């Protein structure tokens, strides 16, 4: 079974409702996401490499930039496959969008080298058998999707659900 990362935009009022009724999370995350759904970003197996690009670390990393692995408010104890979803308020997402926007292309390219990724031992073995050009292009493209998604969230004052399934 693969470990896939997801981000879903939600209003702060939805986060409040989920904290009051954590089981309602299943109605949000179990819905089949449409590829054109602007409120959902499927990180696939790139969640760990994105975390590494953001933090330079394979482990949790500092809050808030390490948001893909740590921080936020757990939505009850509802296990979505690899623990509960974590919620980030709209104000936190705005901070994240600014932090991610400040990461330059040179940092992204440097952290996406196959040698660095292999040494970091990232899930699911990124760096092994991949050429630098291919890996940097794919990772950089996913990073840009993340950057755009967070900018959209900040512009529309939305919070975020982060979860692995």
């Amino acid at each position: 079974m693969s470990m896939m990362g997801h981000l879903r935009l939600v209003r702060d009022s939805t986060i409040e409702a989920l904290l009051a009724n954590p089981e309602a999370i299943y109605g949000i995350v179990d819905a089949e996401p449409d590829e054109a759904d602007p409120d959902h970003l499927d990180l696939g197996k790139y969640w760990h490499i994105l975390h590494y690009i953001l933090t330079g670390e394979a482990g949790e990393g500092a809050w808030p930039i390490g948001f893909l692995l740590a921080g936020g408010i757990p939505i009850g104890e509802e296990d979505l496959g690899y623990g509960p979803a974590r919620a980030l308020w709209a104000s936190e997402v705005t901070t994240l969008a600014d932090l991610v926007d400040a990461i330059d292309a040179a940092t992204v390219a440097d952290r996406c080298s196959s040698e660095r990724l292999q040494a970091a031992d990232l899930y699911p073995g990124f760096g092994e058998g991949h050429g630098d050009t291919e890996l940097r292009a794919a990772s950089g493209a996913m990073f840009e999707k993340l950057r755009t998604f967070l900018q959209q969230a900040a512009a529309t004052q939305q919070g975020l659900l982060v979860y692995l399934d």
Side-chain angles (χ1 to χ4, degrees):
M1 182 175 190
S2 295
M3 191 181 298
M4 308 298 241
H6 300 272
L7 302 178
R8 172 149 307 272
L9 299 181
V10 291
R11 298 266 175 220
D12 282 354
S13 58
T14 301
I15 294 171
E16 291 169 358
L18 288 170
L19 292 173
N21 180 19
E23 290 180 1
I25 191 74
Y26 296 110
I28 294 173
V29 301
D30 284 347
E32 284 293 318
D34 181 344
E35 285 191 27
D37 183 353
D39 293 338
H40 177 257
L41 180 60
D42 182 352
L43 304 174
K45 294 179 182 177
Y46 280 87
W47 60 270
H48 204 189
I49 195 170
L50 289 170
H51 171 76
Y52 185 75
I53 291 170
L54 294 170
T55 66
E57 301 177 33
E60 285 187 5
W63 171 257
I65 199 68
F67 78 101
L68 289 174
L69 292 185
I73 303 168
I75 302 297
E77 296 180 12
E78 309 307 312
D79 188 348
L80 302 179
Y82 295 93
R86 293 174 290 109
L88 284 70
W89 301 106
S91 60
E92 294 172 319
V93 174
T94 298
T95 299
L96 281 173
D98 291 342
L99 290 171
V100 171
D101 200 42
I103 297 173
D104 62 24
T107 299
V108 174
D110 180 54
R111 290 185 179 166
C112 290
S113 77
S114 59
E115 292 166 355
R116 283 191 72 171
L117 296 176
Q118 194 168 1
D121 194 28
L122 301 178
Y123 176 84
F126 277 106
E128 299 172 19
H130 294 87
D132 267 357
T133 303
E134 172 190 333
L135 190 56
R136 282 187 171 133
S139 300
M142 184 56 85
F143 180 78
E144 287 306 317
K145 285 182 182 181
L146 174 64
R147 182 192 314 263
T148 301
F149 190 76
L150 292 174
Q151 288 172 342
Q152 171 195 342
T156 57
Q157 298 179 342
Q158 293 194 68
L160 193 63
L161 295 176
V162 181
Y163 57 99
L164 297 172
D165 68 2

